[in-house]
Amino acid sequence: MIKLEHLNKYYNKGKNNEIHVINDTTLTLPDTGLVCILGESGSGKTTLMNTVSGLDDFESGTIEIDGQVVKKYGDEVQEKVRNQQFGYIFQNYYLLLNRSVDYNLRLALSMYDLPEQVKDQRIEYVLKSVGMWRYKKKNVGQLSGGQQQRVAIARALAKAPKVIFADEPTGNLDEANTMNTMGILKKISKNCLVLLVTHEQRIAEFFADKIIWIGEGTIRKMADNQSRDSYEYIDDNNLYLKEFKESALKNRKVEVEIYEEDKDKKEGEEITLKLVYDNGKYYLAADTERQVEFLTAASEKKVVDSKRPVAKKQEIDQISYDLQPLSNGSKPKITFQDIRKIAAGNIRSMGKRKRFLYLTFIVVSLLFVFSMANLMSELFVDEGSLVSTDSHYDTVEADPESKLFNLTYEKEFPLLVEQLEKEGITAYNYAAPALTLKYQGFRQVEGMEVTLPALSVTDEKYLKKDEIVSGNSPGNDLEIVLDVLVIRKLQDEYTEMKNLITDDSQLIGLELVSDKGYHLKITGICDTGEPDLYGTANLIVMLSNSLVTFLGEDCAAAYGEQQQLSITDDNEVEVLVPQKNLKIAYQNYLKNNYGELEHQHSRIERRKGYDRSEMSDHDIRHLDREIQEISEGLEELEEEYGMTYEEYREKMDSDTAYLDYSYTGSLFGTVEYKVAGCFQEDPGVDYIIAEEGFPMISQAMMNVYKKFYVYDENKNLASLRSKIEQVIAKHTSLEKGAVIVSNKAEKVVEEYRDKNKEKADSAILIAVTIVIISMVILYFIMKANVIDRIGDLGVYRMLGVSKASIYGMFAYENILITLRTSVPAILLSALVFYGMSLLPVTESSFRFSPAALAGMILFIFLMNLVIGILPVRKLMKLPPAQLAAKYDV
């Protein structure tokens, strides 16, 4: 049962032309029967039916359907009942003109989970009932108005709904089809409610069980109808010959029968007809201003040799129609397969508009790519080319404003480093050596030397195995793995290297020579995305020191020295020095300690060399006495030193005596060392030191430079700073803020961005402007496309097709257009940018990365989808009847 309580609806409410189209209407409709609504044109008949059926909204009041109350349009209850229990026969048909009769009916059944065979049976039944079965495969647009009306009626009947709302269902039908249609509606009204709007009172009086009279938005009267026993065909288009006056003309070949109504003929009017037969055709000419219509066997208007028929009540009751109702329906939907077909068909049918639409999409995409290229070139920082420091390195250094004494750092830094080690944070010195590569390969360029771009030296323990693309990890302190980023920088700086190094693995086995003379052998190539050279922790210390050069004892074997080194009991680092240095040091030791023997012996030898021939006896005696005194003094020194001059000279000139010599010294003022021997083959360094000495030297360097570095794998500067502050507060006497933590790579990038901020802001403004303009252009283009399709939208919504299906249809259409226009445009533009970047004259290094390309394509897809859906979404907010009204206009 449907019950209305104080229902109100307005048109143009609050305006001068306000119409109270449903005025405080209260009405109860039965569960079954045929109820006709009569009224003048504009009285509100259709509006009342649309509101009750859920096709239009209302201002106030309630609609109760099967005990469930609807207080506003769009209520879920109303939507559910509308889709499952209501069927509609619209005055304007609302058919999809470019789809077949079969598809239009199948769409009405799409809400039901029925086998296709069952759908076929129901469609066949209702089409045969209205005489349209043979037109099943024809497009609706190819049918006459009356035929389309019958298709619309069949569509409403297909699901045998509980309530049928029929708005002028016979308005475009001849009398025979009117009787058949009304007979079917009358038949099914025994089991359901048929609410019929008509302006033909005689149809209402013959078929209706109840009649409602409406005027100016109010119900004037409602009464049960005592239907007539018969119904005479009045508006039939056929010509019934028995109702006309008959006469005849006949000659040898042609017989003409004339039928006319005297009341419709002017007095004295005569018509001359000429019938001509020529070349197999008949020609009829008439000298009259009246309309002359030529009827053939194919004409819809027929000539019937009888009187106008009269329908009897018992004949209507005998009309055969029995179609079982369906249940458990949902929202009508369009299948994905149909969505694809509809979208492809719509694109094909656009004609010239399609070319304009495609061109717009392409131009918008090109503008977008240009703006993104400009924006990314300003915002995107190619850290690989800009930064020469591994971004994982954080600097921990003394705050220059803290003014702490060096002794404080020498005392506290070791405590800080030691505790950080316990926290899993290793402290390093930082090495950024100048390295030279000597090319070995083609004879023409053999020996060519190039300087590598600035890079970082990083502990090999942070290099993952899967990051090594060729070769092996370092095996000692003088072996390294080189990152491909450094090789790319080298090739960019030296164009000839692009031709010489065609495969990165060609560098394996070559040596890099540091500015301090270290020869570093390349054993592997890695790809970490950082400007790095990976080696041992010892190598970092070796390359960080700018005062002396040294190697670890593990490298001593390579230079013919097998001696084992360690730390002495006096905490001195045992070292080896070059043989010549040890010999010089030994000789200096002898000179410093026994050099007086050399001096005295030289005095004696010098005096013995005087020329006595020219000297007087007195002078000779004085010279001898002086030699005697010096000799005696020399003997006293020899006794004091426990070494004779001859022994001194023997040690000074010996090639082996110095080998047993040992001395001590210090590095960086704090690391004490003791010479434990020398190495025979000169490796080009000052020392070979005990492995245990590297941490001591590293710490001394940290104290001198008042800074150290940590490798932050997670690059979480805030977390690291927090840990260091906690360690300082708990384990050192340093004040909070005495050390600061920073990241050199970040600083370089930030400085670059700050420097280019104005350009970046301008690029952002340009990009945003272009995107907004593009979106506005696309919106109006897509809006025009939607408006052009508003007829189909009106049909879908009047039938209750789900909004999701409609959105999906337009979305898929936008996807197809985007795939055919925007995507190729973006890819082609990216290719052009890439080609330009390869030309030196363009001075352009900008290229779209795969991620950037994917991001732009995804953005274009989303933008096109959203903008394509926006106009649809706006229309979807309208009640179906109001949307259909736009279509009718």
Side-chain angles (χ1 to χ4, degrees):
M1 182 180 68
I2 298 176
K3 184 177 181 180
L4 314 183
E5 290 281 353
H6 304 292
L7 198 67
N8 288 280
K9 178 176 175 59
Y10 298 84
Y11 288 149
N12 307 314
K13 186 176 182 181
K15 299 181 180 179
N16 294 332
N17 58 342
E18 176 184 295
I19 301 173
H20 200 168
V21 67
I22 300 177
N23 190 348
D24 195 33
T25 296
T26 298
L27 174 66
T28 300
L29 296 172
D31 291 335
T32 61
L34 196 155
V35 179
C36 283
I37 302 177
L38 294 175
E40 297 290 335
S41 198
S43 61
K45 303 187 300 296
T46 298
T47 301
L48 177 62
M49 188 183 73
N50 286 341
T51 304
V52 174
S53 64
L55 295 177
D56 210 346
D57 57 7
F58 54 93
E59 185 73 19
S60 62
T62 60
I63 302 173
E64 182 180 336
I65 304 172
D66 289 342
Q68 295 180 304
V69 178
V70 177
K71 295 183 178 180
K72 63 177 180 178
Y73 167 77
D75 189 285
E76 290 185 6
V77 173
Q78 183 187 47
E79 190 77 7
K80 183 178 180 180
V81 170
R82 175 190 163 208
N83 289 319
Q84 293 186 0
Q85 300 184 23
F86 292 173
Y88 302 90
I89 301 173
F90 304 108
Q91 182 178 7
N92 294 331
Y93 320 147
Y94 297 124
L95 297 166
L96 299 173
L97 300 181
N98 59 343
R99 302 308 297 267
S100 69
V101 170
D102 178 77
Y103 178 83
N104 276 270
L105 269 67
R106 201 169 295 275
L107 180 63
L109 296 174
S110 65
M111 71 180 75
Y112 298 99
D113 186 16
L114 297 173
E116 290 302 314
Q117 182 181 0
V118 175
K119 291 182 181 179
D120 291 340
Q121 291 172 352
R122 297 183 75 89
I123 291 171
E124 179 181 358
Y125 187 86
V126 294
L127 285 179
K128 285 182 175 179
S129 297
V130 297
M132 290 298 295
W133 170 244
R134 65 192 182 100
Y135 300 101
K136 175 186 174 184
K137 298 300 182 183
K138 249 194 173 184
N139 272 11
V140 171
Q142 298 174 324
L143 303 178
S144 67
Q147 290 171 328
Q148 289 183 22
Q149 179 75 312
R150 281 185 276 165
V151 173
I153 293 168
R155 180 182 60 190
L157 298 176
K159 64 179 182 179
K162 190 174 181 180
V163 181
I164 289 182
F165 296 92
D167 187 7
E168 302 286 359
T170 61
N172 210 16
L173 301 181
D174 59 27
E175 290 285 7
N177 281 310
T178 294
M179 288 300 100
N180 183 57
T181 298
M182 290 303 304
I184 292 173
L185 294 177
K186 182 67 175 178
K187 180 83 173 180
I188 64 176
S189 70
K190 294 179 180 180
N191 298 310
C192 72
L193 172 64
V194 177
L195 185 63
L196 185 144
V197 168
T198 182
H199 65 278
E200 298 183 65
Q201 185 168 340
R202 61 193 188 87
I203 288 180
E205 290 175 349
F206 183 68
F207 288 99
D209 297 309
K210 289 181 181 291
I211 299 177
I212 300 173
W213 287 268
I214 289 183
E216 297 182 355
T218 62
I219 295 177
R220 299 291 174 84
K221 180 182 177 183
M222 178 176 178
D224 294 333
N225 179 49
Q226 298 298 324
S227 60
R228 299 175 179 176
D229 291 332
S230 63
Y231 174 89
E232 183 181 6
Y233 289 26
I234 295 178
D235 296 329
D236 199 329
N237 289 326
N238 294 334
L239 299 174
Y240 295 94
L241 298 183
K242 299 299 184 183
E243 296 179 354
F244 296 89
K245 180 180 178 181
E246 180 182 0
S247 59
L249 296 175
K250 185 176 182 180
N251 65 10
R252 183 170 56 85
K253 290 186 176 181
V254 180
E255 182 177 351
V256 179
E257 297 176 351
I258 301 172
Y259 299 87
E260 58 183 337
E261 288 182 322
D262 290 338
K263 62 182 180 181
D264 193 42
K265 184 178 179 182
K266 295 179 182 178
E267 186 177 349
E269 179 182 6
E270 294 183 353
I271 300 174
T272 302
L273 298 175
K274 295 182 177 67
L275 182 64
V276 181
Y277 178 80
D278 180 48
N279 198 24
K281 290 184 180 180
Y282 285 99
Y283 297 91
L284 182 65
D287 61 346
T288 179
E289 295 180 356
R290 289 180 178 269
Q291 182 179 354
V292 177
E293 186 174 346
F294 192 75
L295 301 181
T296 67
S299 300
E300 188 168 343
K301 184 184 287 290
K302 304 296 180 183
V303 176
V304 182
D305 191 11
S306 67
K307 288 188 176 182
R308 188 178 301 276
V310 176
K312 301 294 184 179
K313 187 174 181 181
Q314 54 268 32
E315 294 174 356
I316 297 299
D317 293 338
Q318 291 174 1
I319 290 178
S320 176
Y321 187 87
D322 184 19
L323 189 64
Q324 293 300 312
L326 297 172
S327 59
N328 299 323
S330 58
K331 289 185 178 180
K333 55 185 177 296
I334 308 173
T335 65
F336 179 69
Q337 184 178 3
D338 282 332
I339 285 176
R340 291 173 53 194
K341 291 180 180 178
I342 293 170
N346 287 336
I347 293 174
R348 284 194 301 270
S349 64
M350 285 181 182
K352 293 182 179 180
R353 187 165 53 85
K354 180 173 74 172
R355 292 195 291 270
F356 179 71
L357 184 65
Y358 276 25
L359 180 62
T360 302
F361 269 66
I362 291 172
V363 171
V364 166
S365 299
L366 292 176
L367 287 174
F368 176 71
V369 172
F370 171 78
S371 65
M372 289 300 102
N374 184 48
L375 176 61
M376 292 175 70
S377 64
E378 298 299 338
L379 293 183
F380 175 73
V381 178
D382 183 6
E383 296 185 11
S385 61
L386 186 64
V387 176
S388 60
T389 305
D390 190 317
S391 60
H392 295 86
Y393 272 120
D394 294 328
T395 306
V396 183
E397 60 185 329
D399 184 352
E401 297 183 2
S402 63
K403 299 179 180 179
L404 295 177
F405 295 108
N406 291 345
L407 291 176
T408 303
Y409 284 98
E410 290 176 10
K411 175 185 176 184
E412 302 296 342
F413 261 41
L415 296 176
L416 177 58
V417 169
E418 179 182 357
Q419 192 59 38
L420 287 176
E421 289 280 359
K422 293 179 181 179
E423 298 284 341
I425 300 173
T426 303
Y428 294 96
N429 290 282
Y430 181 72
L435 298 172
T436 301
L437 171 67
K438 189 174 183 179
Y439 178 76
Q440 298 174 17
F442 293 109
R443 186 176 59 183
Q444 293 85 342
V445 290
E446 186 75 32
M448 181 183 71
E449 293 185 355
V450 291
T451 301
L452 267 67
L455 49 73
S456 299
V457 182
T458 301
D459 194 336
E460 62 170 328
K461 75 177 185 179
Y462 298 113
L463 179 61
K464 300 179 180 64
K465 285 186 178 181
D466 59 356
E467 292 175 333
I468 299 178
V469 295
S470 59
N472 302 301
S473 301
N476 59 51
D477 294 343
L478 294 175
E479 292 183 347
I480 61 167
V481 173
L482 194 63
D483 196 275
V484 293
L485 181 58
V486 179
I487 301 174
R488 297 295 167 266
K489 285 187 172 186
L490 179 67
Q491 291 174 323
D492 290 340
E493 189 170 340
Y494 299 94
T495 54
E496 60 269 32
M497 297 305 292
K498 290 184 178 180
N499 298 321
L500 295 177
I501 305 175
T502 56
D503 187 341
D504 296 336
S505 61
Q506 291 176 250
L507 294 176
I508 295 177
L510 301 184
E511 287 188 344
L512 301 178
V513 181
S514 77
D515 51 348
K516 299 179 180 64
Y518 292 112
H519 288 250
L520 309 178
K521 183 179 179 181
I522 302 173
T523 62
I525 305 297
C526 65
D527 186 1
T528 65
E530 300 286 355
D532 274 356
L533 174 158
Y534 289 90
T536 64
N538 288 351
L539 179 61
I540 298 176
V541 179
M542 290 158 50
L543 294 175
S544 301
N545 178 29
S546 60
L547 301 179
V548 294
T549 58
F550 50 86
L551 293 174
E553 62 181 303
D554 285 350
C555 294
Y559 299 98
E561 181 55 54
Q562 300 292 332
Q563 186 170 346
Q564 188 72 29
L565 303 175
S566 62
I567 304 296
T568 69
D569 294 338
D570 295 328
N571 204 32
E572 295 172 330
V573 180
E574 289 187 335
V575 302
L576 301 179
V577 297
Q579 186 177 23
K580 63 179 180 179
N581 291 0
L582 181 60
K583 186 175 183 178
I584 292 172
Y586 178 65
Q587 290 174 342
N588 288 336
Y589 162 74
L590 290 175
K591 286 180 181 179
N592 291 335
N593 290 279
Y594 306 105
E596 188 63 24
L597 294 175
E598 180 76 36
H599 175 64
Q600 295 301 330
H601 183 269
S602 296
R603 289 178 65 192
I604 292 172
E605 292 299 315
R606 190 167 54 252
R607 284 165 172 71
K608 285 181 179 181
Y610 289 169
D611 187 4
R612 292 175 177 256
S613 62
E614 296 181 1
M615 295 176 62
S616 64
D617 292 340
H618 178 273
D619 290 335
I620 292 174
R621 287 194 300 274
H622 179 72
L623 178 61
D624 290 338
R625 191 168 49 251
E626 189 174 358
I627 291 173
Q628 181 64 32
E629 290 176 355
I630 297 173
S631 297
E632 291 174 355
L634 177 59
E635 290 175 359
E636 290 178 0
L637 281 175
E638 288 176 339
E639 185 177 350
E640 179 182 348
Y641 290 160
M643 181 187 296
T644 65
Y645 168 73
E646 287 73 16
E647 292 174 337
Y648 169 77
R649 285 310 316 165
E650 183 180 352
K651 289 183 178 183
M652 285 290 287
D653 298 334
S654 174
D655 291 331
T656 59
Y658 65 87
L659 295 176
D660 295 326
Y661 177 68
S662 177
Y663 61 90
T664 60
S666 66
L667 297 173
F668 295 96
T670 57
V671 179
E672 302 296 329
Y673 67 85
K674 179 181 179 180
V675 176
C678 64
F679 38 89
Q680 303 299 318
E681 184 179 340
D682 188 356
V685 297
D686 299 321
Y687 303 96
I688 292 177
I689 70 172
E691 293 294 318
E692 296 91 332
F694 277 95
M696 300 171 65
I697 293 175
S698 179
Q699 185 63 62
M701 292 167 61
M702 295 176 191
N703 295 340
V704 170
Y705 300 135
K706 299 182 183 178
K707 69 171 65 174
F708 61 85
Y709 300 82
V710 297
Y711 190 90
D712 185 3
E713 289 188 87
N714 298 321
K715 294 199 282 191
N716 191 338
L717 200 62
S719 176
L720 176 67
R721 183 180 290 117
S722 175
K723 274 189 177 181
I724 291 176
E725 289 177 353
Q726 291 175 15
V727 171
I728 288 175
K730 189 174 181 180
H731 299 281
T732 75
S733 60
L734 294 171
E735 298 178 358
K736 184 177 181 180
V739 297
I740 55 177
V741 185
S742 61
N743 185 287
K744 184 178 179 181
E746 285 185 7
K747 279 186 176 180
V748 171
V749 173
E750 287 174 4
E751 289 173 0
Y752 177 84
R753 283 177 174 157
D754 290 342
K755 184 179 179 181
N756 290 272
K757 188 176 185 305
E758 187 174 338
K759 289 183 179 179
D761 291 343
S762 176
I764 291 174
L765 181 61
I766 292 173
V768 171
T769 302
I770 289 178
V771 169
I772 291 175
I773 292 174
S774 300
M775 292 175 73
V776 170
I777 293 173
L778 279 178
Y779 176 79
F780 283 106
I781 292 294
M782 299 310 294
K783 183 178 180 180
N785 183 45
V786 171
I787 295 299
D788 189 59
R789 305 257 301 284
I790 198 169
D792 288 354
L793 285 178
V795 172
Y796 290 133
R797 290 302 294 142
M798 292 293 272
L799 294 180
V801 171
S802 67
K803 294 179 182 179
S805 291
I806 295 175
Y807 290 146
M809 181 173 60
F810 279 89
Y812 190 81
E813 187 174 315
N814 288 338
I815 289 173
L816 285 182
I817 296 174
T818 303
L819 283 173
R820 296 175 183 178
T821 57
S822 300
V823 174
I826 291 174
L827 293 176
L828 182 61
S829 302
L831 186 62
V832 170
F833 273 106
Y834 177 75
M836 291 175 60
S837 70
L838 298 179
L839 300 175
V841 292
T842 63
E843 297 184 354
S844 171
S845 61
F846 180 77
R847 302 174 188 176
F848 285 113
S849 67
L853 269 178
M856 285 191 293
I857 290 173
L858 179 61
F859 179 84
I860 283 289
F861 264 114
L862 292 177
M863 184 175 74
N864 291 350
L865 283 175
V866 171
I867 293 176
I869 293 299
L870 281 178
V872 183
R873 187 173 181 272
K874 186 176 180 181
L875 291 175
M876 290 298 99
K877 290 182 178 180
L878 294 174
Q882 295 182 29
L883 176 60
K886 288 180 175 287
Y887 162 50
D888 294 339
V889 172

